[in-house]
Amino acid sequence: MTTQHSAVATVPASDSGSRTGWWRDAVIYQVYPRSFADANGDGMGDLEGVRDRLPYLRDLGVDAVWLSPFYASPQADAGYDVSDYRLVDPMFGDLADAERLVADAHRLGLRVIVDIVPNHASSEHPWFRQALREGPGSPLRGRFHFRPGKGESGELPPNDWESIFGGPAWTRTVNPDGTPGEWYLHLFAPEQPDFDWDNRAVADEFRSILRMWLDLGVDGFRIDVAHGLVKAAGLPDLGVHDQLRLLGNEVLPFFDQDGVHEIYRDWRRILDEYGTDPRTRRIAVAEAWTPTVLRTARYLRPDELHQAFNFQYLGTAWDAEALREVVGLTLDAMRPVGAPATWVLSNHDVVRHLTRLGSGVDREQDLRRARAATLLMLALPGSAYVYQGEELGLPEVLDLPDAVRQDPAFTRAKGGGSEGGGSEGGEAEGQEGMRDGCRVPLPWSGTEAPYGFGPVAGGPSWLPQPAEWAKLSVEAQTGDRNSTLELYRGALAVRREHPALGGGDSVDWDDAPAGVLAFRRTAADGVFGCTVNTTTETVRIPAPGRLLLASGPVTVAATAGIAGAFGTAGAGEWVDLPGDTTVWWDC
Ligand code: NOJ
């Protein structure tokens, strides 16, 4: 009898995706610059910190890095309120740092995707400030959605739309002479006025911004609120309250309007100006909340964008049937448009998947499940997104004191009085005031906070890190073959090496006991198998092949032969697959 629980040796990168497009099977690592690494010791992450750690990301085995916004910003929404799209905020560095970061990443074989925020600017953006200064009637107001209020003296908002962060989506302005003035639309915080994309100056400005960053060398863009740019003509009322719960369930007059697709056709032409070689192509990934994966696929038609986040997958419970369904629906939706599926479990807006999928009662069990979920995600055909710190098995921090929280959703939606606990899954999660808990700075080394996040032991970090994170640091986990970090390293190595992993657009499901998922992926020169036990009980099944990697301890043993309930029993071997465990097989 043999017990196995570790990765196979690191293997050189294969070139699989580059024949058809590097992004099709890419593992893309999200860096949240505030919280990744702080080179200058001010308690806030910065671009130099990211550059210093690029070798870590190369060795982890990811293909690309997506950086959340680092542009000039008053930070009302952690940088998603941009006051100058062509500048780096001094708290993150400067343009020369950005250039050096991109160049170094390329030298290490990593691509760089940057965030672009076209739905709204900062209220400190010069266009908005000037429009305010010039008052009603100024053509500059046409770049945003300014409207007179309703009611006798314009004291009511122009329509009933609600902000994603809570409260009305409109704020009243004050005229240059001090009298109450028009209202302006902000789907997010009042400090984030929405652009009016019917205005030509807006479209021209963004074309120019895209080109500036493409000229600097970035490999693509993550488009913030890609579904929001076009609003229904006349800005019609919704007629209902609690509009947050409708997000992702219905097409709303401010989200997923048909007109957005014309914008992305235009952007695609710009990206294509920079070349169409599949190894160097510039790409765009949409953050698009839509009611169905079929509607998401509309953003990925051949003349539009390259990828979109799969929020339906992120919102799926740890349940075999539900997972099988969402995987099937996703692959079926992407095939006709020829776009790769994407898979994601965590990001800077949602409760970390260890905590979200777990019971919250037993940390060890939550970690087991998170690791199993990761191996499932990385086994699926297409591209996967990894959020910084998930490779360390970081949980959500649920007990941040109110005083340190910075998420505008927290103060607006909860009136500043919420307890930790996290949102429940589904498309709207993470927008409910709980986003600071997934943004706590990473632990890199040492035994004293900030655990190598900053250069000095005992130095600052913009959010406090839990004391237990010393045990979870990169340093503490490196070389420990049972650690989550080594699991990710091993998984990404196998993913690059195995001919049937990475790109592709289908899986073959095998029959499996209740609560177990089993599928195979077949390439010309290899067959890969994945079995996932989503229950908490051990299940004995025939081994479908040679064990490559497991998310936790499993027992594989030769027997006289067990009647195969599913899959292909490899030479009479069986496996005892513990609860919350995923195993990869070479079949
Ligand atoms: C989505 C971003 O991921 C989130 O962090 C931000 O608050 C909103 N868009 C508004 O820009």
Side-chain angles (χ1 to χ4, degrees), residues 32 66 77 80-81 115 117 120 165 188 192 222 224-225 287 289 347-349 407-408 431 435 439:
Y32 193 66
W66 149 36
D77 184 19
Y80 283 96
D81 49 317
D115 231 297
V117 189
H120 44 263
F165 291 155
F188 293 86
Q192 294 166 296
R222 176 267 190 192
D224 188 60
V225 197
E287 187 218 18
W289 297 347
N347 65 36
H348 66 293
D349 288 333
D407 183 358
Q431 305 293 322
R435 300 184 302 173
R439 299 175 177 181

Side-chain angles (χ1 to χ4, degrees), residues 399-406 410-411 415-420 436:
D399 57 359
L400 286 170
D402 287 359
V404 303
R405 287 173 182 266
Q406 296 199 8
F410 174 72
T411 37
S418 168
E419 292 303 310
D436 290 312

